[in-house]
Structure formats: C-alpha cells, structure tokens
Amino acid sequence: MFRHIVLLAWTADATAEQKADAAAQLAKLPGAIPEIRHYEIGVDAGVNEGNHDLAVVADFDDVDGYLVYRDHPAHLAVITDYLKPILATRAAVQHQL
Amino acid sequence: MFRHIVLLAWTADATAEQKADAAAQLAKLPGAIPEIRHYEIGVDAGVNEGNHDLAVVADFDDVDGYLVYRDHPAHLAVITDYLKPILATRAAVQHQL
C-alpha cells in the first residue's frame, strides 16, 4: 500500500461554509477515483494551538494509484475551486505503508 | 476513535543517522504507551517536491488516550532528544475518526 497524507490550513477569512464545502467536495473523490482504497477526512478537533485545519489520509495500492489520484481531473477541480481559494498553507507526505 | 497526525520536516543539516534515529525512537512508543491503538510511521517517498519528511498517524480510543500519548514522558523524551534537534517545521491535526 501507498499512503498520501495532506494537512491543510485555511485563511483567516475563510467562511464556515467554504470550509464545509472543501471537506464535502473532497469526500466525493472516492466515488470518482476508483484507485482510492481508503480515504479519511478529518476536521481538526481544536485540542492544540497552531494546528492545521483539515487532514486527508488516502491509501492506494501503490504509487501509481496515488499518481492517478494526484493528477485526476476531479481532484484538480476540487483543489482549484474549493481548496486554493481558502488555502493558507499545506503540508504533505507520501510513504509506503 | 481519535486520530493524531503529525508531519515533520527536518533541517537541511540533519544527518541520515539522525533521521533514522528519530523514526526508530518514535517506533518504540507503542511499546511504551498502551493507549496507542494503531501507529504508522512513514518516511516521505520523494514523489513530490516541497513535502515534509516524516509522517506519524496515531489512533486512540478517544481524545483522552491521545492526551496520555501527547504528555507521556517517553514521548516527550523522544521529542526533546531526537526530534527537536533536527526539526525545521511541523504540521499537525487531531480529529475524530
């Protein structure tokens, strides 16, 4: 298996609706990209200061499956239309699982 | 379940030995902290530019289990002795699973 993890932090002026839309649109991707084997989206619980706001952990059979996801038009559309407009910063790791 | 995700980026002068020690010391924590239900450590595969270097995804029964881990002396010792000396930056999210 091959895992992709991304943590996103939203801009200070992002609205609750924009944040909810971003998570909801990401949640549709497993229905559009069959290479996704497991997909977890989580909104930060607010336990610690300084955290990012949203987490995605996506598992694939292999790196090729991840690359299909990374470059998939449905994924790129979510990034362009829902993530980038409210994105302050992101951090990512991909690793063998 | 309650999930903790942290992505760590190392300083440019961190040695291969220091990076390996950091991962190896983290990998010992499930043996020291029984509240950890699942623990995955991954070294970034180098597929994308600009990534962080190491990922930890840790699952607990609930937020209280996570807090035991967060504040556990064995965890804090790894942070102080192995992570902070080579830490450039980190990103974290905790969320309900």
Side-chain angles (χ1 to χ4, degrees), chain A residues 80-96:
Chain A
T80 300
D81 296 342
Y82 294 93
L83 305 186
K84 281 198 174 168
I86 58 170
L87 187 64
T89 187
R90 72 189 284 284
V93 163
Q94 294 89 39
H95 68 83
Q96 294 292 334

Side-chain angles (χ1 to χ4, degrees), chain A residues 2-3 5 7 40-45 47-48 51-55 57 63 66-67 70 91-95 97, chain B residues 2-3 5 7 40 42-45 47-48 51-55 57 63 66-67 70 91-95 97:
Chain A
F2 191 82
R3 173 165 282 185
I5 304 167
L7 305 183
E40 291 285 350
I41 302 169
V43 174
D44 186 66
V47 173
N48 296 312
N51 272 8
H52 281 43
D53 297 301
L54 193 79
V57 177
V63 62
Y66 160 67
L67 293 174
R70 186 190 69 179
V93 163
Q94 294 89 39
H95 68 83
L97 192 64
Chain B
F2 191 82
R3 174 165 281 185
I5 304 168
L7 305 182
E40 291 284 350
V43 175
D44 185 65
V47 173
N48 296 312
N51 272 8
H52 281 44
D53 296 302
L54 193 79
V57 177
V63 62
Y66 161 66
L67 293 174
R70 186 191 68 178
V93 163
Q94 294 87 39
H95 68 84
L97 192 65

Side-chain angles (χ1 to χ4, degrees), chain B residues 30-70:
Chain B
I33 307 174
E35 284 79 5
I36 298 172
R37 293 286 172 258
H38 195 74
Y39 202 74
E40 291 284 350
I41 302 168
V43 175
D44 185 65
V47 173
N48 296 312
E49 295 283 322
N51 272 8
H52 281 44
D53 296 302
L54 193 79
V56 178
V57 177
D59 294 336
F60 306 88
D61 286 342
D62 50 30
V63 62
D64 291 338
Y66 161 66
L67 293 174
V68 169
Y69 165 80
R70 186 191 68 178

Side-chain angles (χ1 to χ4, degrees), chain A residues 31-62:
Chain A
I33 307 174
E35 285 79 5
I36 298 172
R37 293 286 172 258
H38 195 73
Y39 203 74
E40 291 285 350
I41 302 169
V43 174
D44 186 66
V47 173
N48 296 312
E49 296 283 323
N51 272 8
H52 281 43
D53 297 301
L54 193 79
V56 178
V57 177
D59 294 336
F60 306 87
D61 286 341
D62 50 30

